[in-house]
Amino acid sequence: MSWQGAVIRWTLRRTFRPATEQPIDVDYVRTRTSKRLWTPRAPSGWRLREQYDAAPLRGEWLERRRAPGQPAPRTILYLHGGGYYFCSPKTHRAITFGLAMRADADLFSLDYRLAPEHPFPAALDDALAAWRSLLDSGVRADSIVIGGDSAGGGLALATLVALRDAGGPLPAGAVLFSPWTDLAATGASLRDNDGRDPMFRGEVFERVAPLYLGVTPATHPLASPLYAELHGLPPLFLRAGSTEVLVDDTRRVAARAADAGVEIDCAIWPDMPHIWPIYAPFMPEARRVLDEAAGFARRVTGGGHAPGGGDPRAAQSSETSIA
């Protein structure tokens, strides 16, 4: 692990995790997150276009400045994490900006409705509406990659399941960072990594899940896609850290999808914290995993690997059993 990664783990263990052990105060968490917000500037040659009053594409675009009439080679629809009840496209710009640049993709980060004011299936409905809006605007389905982290990763996977069930076109693939796929909280890592995870105790997810679920059973396949039939999905790229309490949400989905015949690129990185790509400006491991994700996005949309991505196996853990 890099020294930057070690510092981030140390900081999270002493600041973030104690806060998550307190009773959930939705307004306080949202306010605290907004006050601590740091976001990178739009990179040179790109423009940030915010449209927070324009449903169904409510959120923000990061677009490369191209010659008039020149379309983007690919588009990423990104769904941010935050337990379904906090965070926003703005909090996740370190991921979205880094991924868009590396993949040479126009990226739309969706500002989906949050729980508990808008419980399941509001976020899913918003993701499906955004997908339909992209297609209606002329973006080809096979040029789109859907992505997400944590709750957004679970939401991205649920969106794929809903699209498959509806019989319509599917994205070219999905990029899932530390996805939360089991709101019933049955993964063994919730116990085994309790105390090892620098961000969370295992029990926190049992307290957060009801905010999103409302009256919906925790095993509903579109709320917890671990319980969905996963056949017929496009290729999936999954990454999680070995000490995360949620790592089994990645392992089990990857195994079930592979058994269903889905192409899987899954790796468990040693000692990485939950959604470590968000530390890309400071952490070498975060930049490397974004290189890998961008290479996947280029490949499944027909564009090859991102330059400078390196060997996609270079930082994978020996725990990786699905590739």
Side-chain angles (χ1 to χ4, degrees), residues 13 16-22 189-191 193-208 243-246:
R13 184 176 294 277
F16 190 95
R17 193 170 74 178
T20 68
E21 294 171 349
Q22 303 302 313
S189 58
L190 290 168
R191 301 180 301 276
N193 281 344
D194 191 37
R196 299 178 67 208
D197 188 319
M199 291 183 68
F200 301 109
R201 302 303 297 262
E203 55 82 26
V204 71
F205 294 95
E206 295 181 21
R207 294 189 284 118
V208 171
T243 58
E244 291 190 54
V245 291
L246 284 183

Side-chain angles (χ1 to χ4, degrees), residues 16 19 25-39 80-82 85-92 114 278:
F16 190 95
D25 183 330
V26 173
D27 291 337
Y28 173 76
V29 171
R30 291 175 181 171
T31 300
R32 187 167 181 243
T33 301
S34 64
K35 288 182 177 179
R36 295 179 61 186
L37 180 64
W38 174 86
T39 60
H80 68 82
Y85 75 98
F86 74 111
C87 286
S88 69
K90 294 179 181 179
T91 63
H92 281 60
L114 298 178
I278 206 165

Side-chain angles (χ1 to χ4, degrees), residues 53-103:
D53 56 354
L57 285 180
R58 184 179 60 251
E60 57 188 41
W61 282 98
L62 184 68
E63 301 165 312
R64 184 183 287 279
R65 298 185 185 277
R66 307 179 194 275
Q70 180 184 10
R74 61 195 56 83
T75 299
I76 297 173
L77 172 60
Y78 197 84
L79 309 174
H80 68 82
Y84 292 106
Y85 75 98
F86 74 111
C87 286
S88 69
K90 294 179 181 179
T91 63
H92 281 60
R93 286 177 181 170
I95 295 179
T96 57
F97 286 15
L99 184 57
M101 288 188 295
R102 287 166 169 82

Side-chain angles (χ1 to χ4, degrees), residues 57 183 206 240 275 280 290 320 323:
L57 285 180
L183 276 65
E206 295 181 21
I275 62 163
L290 288 176
T320 302

Side-chain angles (χ1 to χ4, degrees), residues 58-298:
R58 184 179 60 251
E60 57 188 41
W61 282 98
L62 184 68
E63 301 165 312
R64 184 183 287 279
R65 298 185 185 277
R66 307 179 194 275
Q70 180 184 10
R74 61 195 56 83
T75 299
I76 297 173
L77 172 60
Y78 197 84
L79 309 174
H80 68 82
Y84 292 106
Y85 75 98
F86 74 111
C87 286
S88 69
K90 294 179 181 179
T91 63
H92 281 60
R93 286 177 181 170
I95 295 179
T96 57
F97 286 15
L99 184 57
M101 288 188 295
R102 287 166 169 82
D104 188 22
D106 286 358
L107 184 147
F108 181 74
S109 187
L110 178 66
D111 187 33
Y112 58 84
R113 289 171 292 171
L114 298 178
E117 297 92 336
H118 304 285
F120 175 86
L124 178 62
D125 289 344
D126 289 352
L128 292 170
W131 166 260
R132 291 191 293 267
S133 182
L134 288 176
L135 296 188
D136 290 345
S137 71
V139 181
R140 299 191 333 271
D142 63 1
S143 73
I144 301 175
V145 171
I146 189 168
D149 61 273
S150 195
L155 179 58
L157 185 57
T159 302
L160 291 181
V161 172
L163 290 173
R164 180 208 60 199
D165 290 349
L170 294 172
V175 169
L176 311 175
F177 299 120
S178 303
W180 187 22
T181 65
D182 178 16
L183 276 65
T186 65
S189 58
L190 290 168
R191 301 180 301 276
D192 296 344
N193 281 344
D194 191 37
R196 299 178 67 208
D197 188 319
M199 291 183 68
F200 301 109
R201 302 303 297 262
E203 55 82 26
V204 71
F205 294 95
E206 295 181 21
R207 294 189 284 118
V208 171
L211 297 177
Y212 178 58
L213 291 169
V215 299
T216 302
T219 55
H220 190 297
L222 294 180
S224 294
L226 174 68
Y227 301 98
E229 295 294 331
L230 300 177
H231 64 275
L233 299 186
L236 304 179
F237 174 99
L238 303 102
R239 294 293 185 268
S242 64
T243 58
E244 291 190 54
V245 291
L246 284 183
V247 66
D248 279 351
D249 283 37
T250 293
R251 289 187 182 121
R252 291 180 294 161
V253 156
R256 292 196 67 242
D259 288 346
V262 178
E263 179 189 328
I264 298 297
D265 180 348
C266 178
I268 308 302
W269 285 40
D271 301 323
M272 289 296 103
H274 188 60
I275 62 163
W276 75 94
I278 206 165
Y279 305 111
F282 320 106
M283 187 178 178
E285 295 91 340
R287 295 190 290 274
R288 287 202 296 270
V289 78
L290 288 176
D291 287 341
E292 292 187 11
F296 170 87
R298 285 174 174 260

